[in-house]
Amino acid sequence: MADDFLRFRDDEPTEEPAVTLDAFLDQTNSSAVRLEAGEDVRLLLPHLHHISLIEVDFPRFRDGRGYSSAQILREAGYKGELRATGDVLVDQMDHMRRCGFDSFAPNAPIDPEVLRATLDRYAFRYQTAADAAVPVWKLRHG
Amino acid sequence: MYKYDQYDQAIVDARVDEFRDQVRRRLAGQITEDQFKPLRLKNGLYLQLHAYMLRVAIPYGTLNGKQMRMLGHIARKYDRGYGHFTTRQNIQYNWIKLQDAPDILADLATVEMHAIQTSGESIRNLSSDQYAGAAADEIADPRPWAELLRQATTFHPEFSYLPRKFKIAVTAADEDRAAIRLHDIGLKLVRNAAGELGFEVYIGGGMGRTPFVAPLIRPFLPAANLFSYLEAALRVWNRNGRRDNIHKQRIKILVHDLGQEEFTRQVEAEWQHILGNASDVPLVEVERIATHFAPPPFETGLSDAIDRSDPDFALWVDQNVKPHKAPGYAIVNISLKPVGGIPGDVSAEQIDVIADLAERYSFDELRATHAQNIVLPHVRKRDLYELWTALADAGLATPNLDLISDIIACPGLDYCSLANARSIPVAQKIADRFADLGRQRELGELKLKISGCINACGHHHAGHIGILGVDRKGTENYQLLLGGSGAEDASLGKITGPGFNEDGIVDAVERVTDKYLAVRQEGERFLDTYRRVGFEPFKEAIYG
Ligand code: HEM
Ligand code: SF4
C-alpha cells in the first residue's frame, strides 16, 4: 500500500494483491495485476474494465519503459489505480504523474516537502499527456 | 528569430529553480552521485577530467547578439575566458564548478537560453541548416518546425528515460548541411506533387562505434502530423529498444535488428494509436511560430558588385562567403579554425566582437554550424569589406571554409575522460602541415574530421578523411578512414589499415592528398576522385 501523500485518488485502495501478468492472463478474474518492465502492456487492454489496480515496476529508475506502459493504459481509457513501484525517485514523479500514475510505492522513502515542491513547480506544459494539463499551444490560441 | 512568450519563459525559469534544488540536495548529500548523474546530464552537465563541463543549447544553431554576448559573459565569469562550439551547434564550457551551474542557468534564462536536454538519455537540442532563412536552395525556412519540435520535446513525460540519447536534425534544402542522415531522426522538408508541405523521415542514423546512414522510413509525412509520428517512433523504441548493453541502445540498433520494413510497420501501427491523442501541434501554432522567422527587412535595389581589389579580401570572399537568396546580400562564414588554434574555440573577446558584428551587419542574427564555425546569415555585399576588416582585426578572418584545415575535432584526451588519444594536437599538426593557403585551395573541398575515441564526437566516420584515436598497448595511435560524407550523399568512411603515431598520421594524410592531386580529373573533389578510383590506389600510396 502506498503512503497517503503518495496516493492521488479518493477511492478506497484495492486490498487484493497484484498478480503477475502471466497469472492474470491465465485467470482473468483477478482485479490487480503487476507489470514488469519489458512486458507488453497491450495484453491487458481487453481486460481493463474489471481491473482496479495496475502496478508498473521500475527495476532501475533509468529504465523508462514504464512511462510508455502508463501512457498506453490511460490512452486506452483505463480509469483504475496506476501505481509505480520499485526504484521510483522524487525527481521522476512529476513526469510519472503526467503519464497517468496516481500512486507510488517507492523502494526508498520520499520527502513529502520535496515532492510537493516538485509537483507544483511547472505551471505550464508543452505537450498533451495523460494528465489534465492544457498544453501551451492551446493556451496560446484560446 | 523566435522570441519567448510568458509560457516559454515560465518553463525555463522553473527549470532553473528545479536544477538549483537538485544541486542543493546533491551538495547536502540527500541524493547520491548515482542518482544525481542523470539529473545533471539532463541539463548538460558532465563530469570531465579536470572539472565539470556545461553544454548550453543553441536551438537549431540560431542566436542573436545579446545571447552571444551572454555566452561571452559566462566564459569570463565562470570559465577561463573561452568557450567551445560543438558539432551539434551547441557551446560547451570546460571549467565549470557545480555550485555555479544554477547561477549560470539563471543568467542564460535572462536571454532566453538554457541547457535543457543537452546531454543524457534525452531528446537533444535540435540541429538544422546553418543557412536556414538565407539559402537560395531551401523550399521554406525549416526553423519553425525545429522550434515546434523544441517545445514539444522539452520535458516530454513519456520519453523521460529513453534507452539512450536521441538527436533530431531538420533541413529544407537539397544540399544537406546538417548531416540529417547521421542523426537518430533526420527530417527534410519537401513538397509533394499536390504542392503540400511534408517531411521525408529518415530514422536510425548515427555515428559512435556502430555507424549507420539512416534509411528513409517515410517518403512523405504530412507536415501537420510531424509530432505524432515522432512520438510513434520514440514509443516503439522506448518500449522495444535494448537496455542491456549501453553500446546497443540507440534507435539505429533497433532499426537494424528489426529491419527497415518491420521497424516501419511498427511505427506506422503505433502512429495509428497515437493519432487518437490529438497530440499534434495545430497549424495556427505553426503559423504563430513562423511569424518569428519572417525574413528580415531586406533592402531592395542593392548592387551585387564586390570590390575585389584587396587580394586577401578577395580570397576570403571566394572561400567563406556564400550566395544569399536576396539580391545584394551574402552569407558570411566565420572560421573558428585558425592555424594553430583549437577547432571551435573562441575567446570571450571574440564572442563579443562577433556579437557586435552580427548586430551591425546581419540583422542581429548569427548561427553556429555543425562544422564548429559561425555564420552571419544576412550581410549586405557592400558591407563585406568593412566586416572582413573587423574580423581580421579579431583574428577571425581565416579563409579556409571547407578546406583541409577547417577540421572538426572532438576535445579528445586533453579534456575528455573517455578518450583514447588526443585530437586537438593532431588537428593542429595537420593544419600546420598544410598551412600554405595556396596548397589548401589547390586541394579544394576536403572535410577532415577527428575523434579521440570510437564514440565519434568528431564525426570521423563522415569525414572525406577521418581520423580515429585508439589505444594501442597503452600508447596513442591513430587510424585513417577515407570516403565518408555527412552531406546529401552520406556515406561512411572505410579504415585504411594499421594505424599511425601522431606524426605518422600527418604523413599519411599528406600521402593521400598527394595521390589525389596525381589522379584527379577536372572538377573532381577529393571525395569524387576517391569514389571513382576506389580505395586501393590510396591504400597503396599510404602503405607502399
Ligand atoms: C568532452 C566530453 C564528451 C563526452 C564524455 C562525450 C561522450 C560521448 C559519447 C559516450 C558518445 C557516444 C554515444 C553513442 O554512441 O551512443 C558521444 C557521441 C557524440 N558526441 Fe560526444 N562527448 C563529449 C564531447 C563532445 C563534443 C565536444 C562534441 C562536439 C564537438 C560532441 C559531439 C558528439 C557527437 C556528434 C556524437 C555522435 C553522435 C552519434 O553517435 O550520432 N561530444 N559523445
Ligand atoms: S570522441 Fe571520444 S574522445 Fe572525443 S569527445 Fe567523444 S568521447 Fe571524448
Side-chain angles (χ1 to χ4, degrees), chain B residues 266-376:
Chain B
Q266 292 192 14
V267 172
E268 294 283 328
E270 193 63 59
W271 188 40
Q272 293 309 314
H273 292 296
I274 286 183
L275 277 173
N277 298 348
S279 56
D280 272 314
V281 179
L283 285 175
V284 284
E285 172 64 359
V286 181
E287 282 157 18
R288 183 193 74 88
I289 295 173
T291 58
H292 291 270
F293 295 95
F298 294 123
E299 285 170 51
T300 53
L302 291 177
S303 160
D304 275 317
I306 298 173
D307 177 356
R308 301 171 53 93
S309 47
D310 182 330
D312 287 338
F313 169 67
L315 200 66
W316 175 80
V317 169
D318 290 341
Q319 203 60 50
N320 288 28
V321 176
K322 299 288 167 189
H324 194 285
K325 65 182 175 193
Y329 285 84
I331 300 172
V332 168
N333 286 275
I334 301 175
S335 165
L336 302 182
K337 319 290 176 63
V339 171
I342 295 176
D345 268 19
V346 270
S347 68
E349 292 67 38
Q350 288 176 322
I351 288 178
D352 287 348
V353 168
I354 296 171
D356 288 344
L357 296 175
E359 284 168 353
R360 192 160 349 134
Y361 296 112
S362 185
F363 294 99
D364 194 18
E365 226 186 286
L366 43 100
R367 311 285 173 78
T369 85
H370 88 271
Q372 302 178 283
N373 293 317
I374 299 288
V375 164
L376 300 181

Side-chain angles (χ1 to χ4, degrees), chain B residues 410-412 416 418-419 451-453 455-457:
Chain B
C410 79
C416 176
L418 303 175
S451 306
C453 81
N455 286 320
C457 302

Side-chain angles (χ1 to χ4, degrees), chain B residues 48 92 409-413 415-421 423 450-460 468-469:
Chain B
Q48 281 310 303
Q92 288 181 182
C410 79
L413 199 52
Y415 294 100
C416 176
S417 50
L418 303 175
N420 287 325
S423 313
I450 309 174
S451 306
C453 81
I454 193 75
N455 286 320
C457 302
H459 292 193
H460 65 273
L468 166 63

Side-chain angles (χ1 to χ4, degrees), chain B residues 46 48 53 55 84-88 92 94 164-165 167 182-184 205-209 246 250 252 372 408-412 415-418 455-459:
Chain B
Y46 286 84
Q48 281 310 303
M53 175 200 95
R55 184 181 292 153
H84 177 79
F85 283 94
T86 77
T87 48
R88 292 205 72 259
Q92 288 181 182
N94 283 316
R164 204 68 183 82
K165 59 184 167 182
K167 301 178 178 180
L182 294 169
H183 281 74
D184 297 288
M207 288 180 266
R209 67 185 63 212
I246 188 156
R250 296 283 295 267
K252 62 191 174 186
Q372 302 178 283
I408 292 182
C410 79
Y415 294 100
C416 176
S417 50
L418 303 175
N455 286 320
C457 302
H459 292 193

